[in-house]
Amino acid sequence: MPTAFRTESDGRIAVTVRQVVRDKAGTTLANRTVTHVYRFVDDLVAEMEILE
């Protein structure tokens, strides 16, 4: 679930995300905040980086 958005100095968009990962039984394997950083070309995502 996104919790914040910001524009980086190089024009990329950084999205802070609450990431919850569960196994098939529903047990939580990870519950953390990460940042997805997107670079766009012609309004399309050209690159995505995940930062922890």
Side-chain angles (χ1 to χ4, degrees):
M1 170 182 291
T3 59
F5 298 84
R6 72 178 180 276
T7 302
E8 300 290 294
S9 61
D10 61 4
R12 296 181 304 160
I13 305 299
V15 182
T16 303
V17 178
R18 187 70 187 163
Q19 183 181 60
V20 179
V21 179
R22 294 184 174 92
D23 65 15
K24 289 182 180 182
T27 302
T28 300
L29 302 175
N31 186 346
R32 61 187 175 197
T33 299
V34 298
T35 302
H36 295 175
V37 182
Y38 298 91
R39 183 175 61 84
F40 291 87
V41 174
D42 297 327
D43 295 328
L44 299 173
V45 175
E47 181 180 13
M48 179 185 139
E49 181 180 2
I50 301 173
L51 308 175
E52 293 187 40

